[in-house]
Amino acid sequence: MYRAYKYRIYPTSEQKVLLAKSFGCVRWFWNYSLNLCQETYQATGKGLSRGYIQGLLPALKKEYEWLKDAYSQCLQIVALNLSTAYQNFFEKRAMLPRFKSKRGRQSISYPQNVKLEGDNIYLPKIGWVVCRRHRSFDGTIKTVTISLNPDGKYFASVLVDDGQPHPQVMTGGKAIGIDVGLTHFAITSDGSKFDNPRYFAKHQRNLKRKQQNLSRKTKGSQNRKKARLAVAQVHSKVARCREDFLHKLSRKIVNENQVIVTENLNVKGMVKNHNLAKAISDVGWGQFCTMLKYKAESEGKTYIEIDRWFPSSKTCHVCLNTVDNLTLDVRGWTCQHCGTRHDRDINAAINIRNEGLRILSLGTSDTACGGSVSRTGKTSVLLDAIPVESGSPRSIA
């Protein structure tokens, strides 16, 4: 079973320069290959294979000497990543591959020759880099990805094969349905409600001041770079707070239940509502469901997503009577058939749980409203990797 461990690394000034050169070489080769693929497709209607793209490297290194600054395997894995990106696009799992920018998050991957010893990690052509290993692992290192976030922090994501088989999935035990929202982040079928922490709203005033300060700086100046870094640090703070909340809540739910049922939400379509786009983007429903899924699967528990069109809010869970219309401002309603008074969110969570158990009992992914809309298939072992919750006992500035 594949697991991913993420560690904070602290390169020296000289190592930062070497990493910057590697980031630039990999980014340039990605953009060059992607542009060549697009031109070839427009001219012939066919794409380029992974082997063909890798075969371009020897001639390019003679023409552009600076490509030799990056480790050769880092450049070769670009072809694998690009072919995987195109395959995901054609199988409708992702968008069309895009060109990479020197602004934003940077990353390179080392498929081999990486070593970890104590609080140090060895990277080819970089050397030994200080690494805060807050937890150890057992297994074979498959790939190491070095990333630089916009806030200036470096991380190493280590993909490990621990040699253990996937646990056998259990279908018995306690089942829970989860309905997500904006006022309350999650509402469970047992009546529990978890408030939405709204981290972006809490830091919005600070972010506004930092952005106003950035807008006053001269482009290309050192002060602008410092102001840009301050803005990135606020965004990073919001993201880390949100991720911490989602990790803790998902871990609590997975520990207490054996069958977890949620809705397959179309978050991308929901953010097109300009009145709710900011709130929906801040809440992190998609990330929460991803955490529930991999944590449940790593422990052999069952995670089910029901159809997004299933009328969970409008259906009475007692008599299954469905109302014709139920606007968002109605938070409670009375069933005209059986007279039961319903809390809108708890009733939806119960219906989600019942629908998930119905699907589970039938042994099929079919739902009451049509076929499954979940993603199928996979193209890389990276999709099997289970991110390990990386809470460090020591605070890192």
Side-chain angles (χ1 to χ4, degrees):
M1 188 165 58
Y2 290 96
R3 295 182 179 272
Y5 297 81
K6 190 174 182 179
Y7 303 115
R8 176 87 180 272
I9 63 174
Y10 299 86
T12 63
S13 299
E14 294 79 8
Q15 291 171 338
K16 288 181 180 180
V17 174
L18 295 175
L19 285 173
K21 291 181 179 180
S22 298
F23 290 143
C25 292
V26 170
R27 182 179 63 246
W28 182 89
F29 185 53
W30 169 279
N31 292 339
Y32 178 88
S33 302
L34 178 57
N35 180 67
L36 187 60
C37 288
Q38 293 178 351
E39 291 179 348
T40 303
Y41 182 79
Q42 292 175 357
T44 65
K46 298 180 179 180
L48 299 177
S49 66
R50 170 188 170 187
Y52 181 87
I53 296 175
Q54 289 179 335
L56 299 173
L57 280 171
L60 288 175
K61 287 184 178 181
K62 292 180 181 179
E63 184 177 359
Y64 305 101
E65 293 287 336
W66 42 267
L67 280 176
K68 297 179 181 179
D69 293 338
Y71 183 51
S72 61
Q73 295 294 321
C74 295
L75 294 174
Q76 291 183 14
I77 204 172
V78 170
L80 172 63
N81 294 337
L82 184 58
S83 62
T84 302
Y86 267 114
Q87 189 170 354
N88 290 335
F89 167 71
F90 289 123
E91 295 181 3
K92 298 182 179 180
R93 289 196 298 269
M95 299 291 290
L96 189 68
R98 297 184 297 177
F99 293 99
K100 296 185 182 294
S101 171
K102 66 179 180 181
R103 297 176 180 84
R105 183 178 179 272
Q106 307 294 316
S107 66
I108 54 175
S109 296
Y110 292 87
Q112 59 185 9
N113 297 329
V114 178
K115 295 182 261 184
L116 281 90
E117 294 183 4
D119 283 340
N120 292 278
I121 181 171
Y122 176 79
L123 305 174
K125 285 203 170 186
I126 304 297
W128 289 99
V129 183
V130 176
C131 174
R132 182 65 63 84
R133 292 185 64 188
H134 54 276
R135 62 178 61 197
S136 59
F137 59 82
D138 294 322
T140 305
I141 298 176
K142 307 299 290 186
T143 305
V144 175
T145 300
I146 305 299
S147 60
L148 169 62
N149 289 349
D151 60 353
K153 295 179 180 178
Y154 292 81
F155 293 91
S157 180
V158 184
L159 179 66
V160 178
D161 183 5
D162 59 9
Q164 301 294 325
H166 285 275
Q168 186 175 1
V169 178
M170 64 179 74
T171 57
K174 183 180 178 182
I176 191 171
I178 303 174
D179 181 46
V180 294
L182 294 177
T183 302
H184 293 94
F185 174 79
I187 303 92
T188 62
S189 55
D190 58 9
S192 300
K193 294 186 177 182
F194 301 92
D195 290 334
N196 180 11
R198 303 179 188 272
Y199 289 113
F200 184 82
K202 292 179 181 179
H203 293 83
Q204 191 169 7
R205 184 178 179 184
N206 184 28
L207 179 62
K208 178 182 177 180
R209 290 197 298 264
K210 297 292 193 302
Q211 290 176 329
Q212 288 175 336
N213 187 37
L214 173 62
S215 66
R216 300 188 186 101
K217 304 303 180 184
T218 304
K219 290 187 177 180
S221 65
Q222 291 297 320
N223 286 335
R224 182 178 176 83
K225 294 180 181 179
K226 295 178 182 177
R228 183 205 60 78
L229 184 62
V231 172
Q233 289 173 345
V234 178
H235 281 294
S236 177
K237 175 68 174 180
V238 174
R240 286 185 284 113
C241 290
R242 182 189 300 116
E243 186 177 8
D244 179 72
F245 167 74
L246 297 179
H247 269 304
K248 291 176 180 177
L249 180 56
S250 60
R251 173 49 59 194
K252 172 181 173 63
I253 292 175
V254 171
N255 286 348
E256 296 176 353
N257 303 275
Q258 285 69 49
V259 178
I260 302 167
V261 188
T262 63
E263 288 182 296
N264 185 296
L265 298 175
N266 181 20
V267 179
K268 184 178 179 181
M270 297 169 74
V271 295
K272 293 181 180 179
N273 182 343
H274 298 295
N275 295 325
L276 300 175
K278 183 185 292 187
I280 293 174
S281 300
D282 179 32
V283 74
W285 291 332
Q287 188 178 14
F288 176 65
C289 292
T290 300
M291 291 180 178
L292 284 176
K293 187 175 187 295
Y294 78 73
K295 289 175 184 178
E297 291 178 349
S298 66
E299 298 184 9
K301 299 182 179 181
T302 302
Y303 173 83
I304 302 175
E305 288 185 355
I306 69 170
D307 193 285
R308 65 186 63 163
W309 302 114
F310 179 74
S312 57
S313 298
K314 298 189 294 184
T315 302
C316 172
H317 73 271
V318 177
C319 65
L320 303 183
N321 178 54
T322 303
V323 297
D324 296 331
N325 186 31
L326 195 66
T327 57
L328 285 175
D329 59 326
V330 178
R331 309 315 302 173
W333 58 281
T334 301
C335 178
Q336 297 180 355
H337 186 268
C338 65
T340 305
R341 180 67 182 175
H342 294 296
D343 179 285
R344 177 194 180 109
D345 298 324
I346 297 178
N347 176 67
I350 295 174
N351 283 324
I352 291 172
R353 181 199 61 191
N354 294 342
E355 174 68 3
L357 292 176
R358 187 192 70 82
I359 296 172
L360 193 63
S361 65
L362 295 176
T364 175
S365 60
D366 291 339
T367 67
C369 299
S372 172
V373 293
S374 61
R375 297 176 178 178
T376 58
K378 57 189 177 185
T379 60
S380 171
V381 296
L382 294 177
L383 299 181
D384 287 330
I386 299 174
V388 176
E389 301 166 55
S390 53
S392 175
R394 295 168 288 183
S395 61
I396 301 176

